[in-house]
Amino acid sequence: MSAAQSSIPEDVAKSASDARDRLNEHTLKIVHWHFSEDTGSPFWLEKKSELGFDPLKDVKSFDDLKKFPHFEDEWLRGGPIQRWVPKGHAGKPVYVFETGGTTGIPKSRMVIEDHWKDYELFSDTLPDEHFPRGSNWLMLGPSGPRRLRLAVEHLAQHRGGICFCIDLDPRWVVKLIKKGWMEHLEEYKKHCIDQAVTVLTAGHDIKCMFATPKLLESLGEALEDRGTSLQEVGIKGIFSGGTEFTPQWTRFCVEELLGGPVEEGGVYMTPTYGNTLMGLACSKPIKAADGYKISYYAPQPRAVTEVVSFDDYNQVVGFGETGRVKLYTLTDEFFVPGFMERDEGEREAPFDMYPWDGVSGVRPFHELASATTVGVY
């Protein structure tokens, strides 16, 4: 046992061991669902013949998922989308959510109820004092064929509220950046923020919201220009997500936009890390005493994140060490046995709320960073 592992409290280590047992059991169930002729999707049933092993016999634990080749998100480009729908869900209404697609064919993921389940689980982590049940929400993020918009709307409804949305096309934002049309970009951002300000000041009693870091900052500045603030328009709780989440930005946000730390009456904010494949990972509560460090924990066993060596994507790094983020999605709707994210970070130890590995310091993977265009996220 390493020094880092031996420093994990005994009760957390026991919870982590129990969580691993549940993950192994869940993995077995999900693999059998996706590779059984009666319930599996056409994509994985066809892929089975190429694998060189039998998932139904040779996968006995989560670690056995390393026998699969890495999931390639290029498989998600183009149709027919039906090839991803498990036979066990035949006849149910299907959503399609897209990611990318600024140029070329976007990547598409089919969903039936996963986005509802993910956000109902996320709802359980939100403190009611800062996200009052029955409150209305503002969704300040992408519209169109995006999982996030419908998911946030469901979250608001699940908590007894109504969700107000804006029009925002993230593909156009990326095109403006790539063309260098910064004046157009500023005008489009202003167009989006104007919509948000209009909704917030129209008497709809909105107390909760989702925003990407860039849009949250712009909204705070726009409200300040109008002589008001997020607090004064009634916002109590914000959940946010995007690659811009750094300790420095979080500190700025708390001190300049949110009226100070929540214990001093400021607006509560919780960062999340997610995407169309996984859903979303929650963050460990952020504290000034921890230097506003942000650590994310996936919603295990439905999704798992590992931090793996840059030299060997099947080798998890030690606690506190840096590596690339590897993602697994394990639901009865969608199976991803190891996808290499375009992010890197540090491996975080389990703790009482999430007794499994986490990841902190998430940032673009250094080998791809220069080619990554960050739009509204």
Side-chain angles (χ1 to χ4, degrees):
M1 184 182 286
S2 71
Q5 284 174 305
S6 62
S7 67
I8 297 174
E10 197 173 319
D11 59 330
V12 174
K14 172 70 169 67
S15 296
S17 176
D18 292 344
R20 191 71 178 190
D21 289 343
R22 287 194 298 274
L23 176 60
N24 287 332
E25 188 179 326
H26 181 77
T27 300
L28 203 60
K29 186 173 82 174
I30 292 300
V31 167
H32 274 257
W33 170 269
H34 284 284
F35 288 93
S36 294
E37 289 295 330
D38 293 342
T39 53
S41 67
F43 177 86
W44 284 115
L45 292 175
E46 187 179 319
K47 205 80 175 163
K48 192 170 159 184
S49 62
E50 303 171 17
L51 293 175
F53 67 95
D54 184 349
L56 297 176
K57 293 177 183 172
D58 300 330
V59 174
K60 297 180 171 64
S61 68
F62 174 76
D63 281 340
D64 286 338
L65 293 181
K66 291 178 173 56
K67 294 176 180 177
F68 285 92
H70 291 140
F71 188 91
E72 295 177 30
D73 58 353
E74 290 299 313
W75 294 339
L76 299 172
R77 290 194 198 273
I81 190 73
Q82 285 83 353
R83 73 188 188 279
W84 294 100
V85 180
K87 292 180 185 176
H89 290 310
K92 293 183 181 177
V94 174
Y95 295 91
V96 58
F97 297 131
E98 294 179 359
T99 182
T102 302
T103 56
I105 300 171
K107 288 165 275 191
S108 303
R109 178 196 161 170
M110 60 69 54
V111 178
I112 299 169
E113 296 178 358
D114 268 353
H115 59 309
W116 296 344
K117 293 173 184 172
D118 290 341
Y119 277 70
E120 287 171 16
L121 288 170
F122 173 58
S123 176
D124 293 339
T125 73
L126 296 177
D128 288 349
E129 62 180 301
H130 303 301
F131 294 88
R133 289 186 182 270
S135 297
N136 292 338
W137 284 65
L138 170 67
M139 164 54 179
L140 182 52
S143 54
R146 307 281 164 170
R147 170 189 165 109
L148 189 58
R149 190 199 73 75
L150 277 183
V152 173
E153 191 163 38
H154 180 72
L155 174 66
Q157 293 171 350
H158 178 68
R159 298 182 67 82
I162 297 167
C163 185
F164 291 79
C165 303
I166 68 161
D167 273 325
L168 195 169
D169 178 359
R171 292 172 181 160
W172 183 237
V173 172
V174 172
K175 280 187 175 176
L176 290 174
I177 293 170
K178 287 185 172 178
K179 288 175 181 291
W181 292 358
M182 293 306 150
E183 189 180 334
H184 291 260
L185 179 67
E186 281 306 307
E187 282 302 310
Y188 190 68
K189 186 166 72 173
K190 184 173 176 293
H191 164 67
C192 294
I193 296 302
D194 284 348
Q195 295 174 65
V197 172
T198 300
V199 170
L200 287 174
T201 55
H204 291 303
D205 195 27
I206 294 168
K207 292 189 172 75
C208 312
M209 63 181 286
F210 169 85
T212 68
K214 284 183 175 179
L215 291 174
L216 180 59
E217 187 174 335
S218 297
L219 176 62
E221 291 168 356
L223 290 171
E224 190 179 339
D225 289 344
R226 289 164 171 80
T228 186
S229 68
L230 287 161
Q231 273 178 303
E232 287 175 28
V233 296
I235 297 296
K236 293 184 177 298
I238 298 169
F239 99 82
S240 187
T243 50
E244 302 288 284
F245 252 117
T246 62
Q248 296 84 351
W249 185 85
T250 306
R251 179 175 183 166
F252 158 79
C253 193
V254 169
E255 293 178 354
E256 303 295 330
L257 300 179
L258 304 181
V262 69
E263 54 271 19
E264 294 173 18
V267 177
Y268 183 95
M269 181 178 68
T270 183
T272 55
Y273 171 70
N275 58 33
T276 305
L277 290 184
M278 172 179 72
L280 80 171
C282 300
S283 68
K284 192 174 183 176
I286 298 171
K287 297 173 183 163
D290 294 337
Y292 294 99
K293 180 180 177 180
I294 302 167
S295 304
Y296 297 112
Y297 290 80
Q300 219 172 281
R302 289 172 58 79
V304 179
T305 54
E306 291 181 328
V307 182
V308 297
S309 166
F310 295 128
D311 301 320
D312 179 359
Y313 289 157
N314 283 331
Q315 183 62 49
V316 175
V317 301
F319 291 121
E321 293 181 5
T322 302
R324 190 169 176 182
V325 179
K326 186 176 184 180
L327 164 70
Y328 302 80
T329 300
L330 304 170
T331 77
D332 59 2
E333 295 179 21
F334 206 63
F335 176 62
V336 177
F339 170 66
M340 300 313 304
E341 275 286 9
R342 291 169 179 77
D343 298 317
E344 62 183 58
E346 284 69 52
R347 182 187 177 197
E348 290 295 321
F351 73 112
D352 51 0
M353 192 186 298
Y354 301 114
W356 47 80
D357 282 11
V359 56
S360 67
V362 174
R363 54 201 178 268
F365 175 45
H366 64 275
E367 290 182 20
L368 300 174
S370 61
T372 303
T373 302
V374 177
V376 294
Y377 302 106

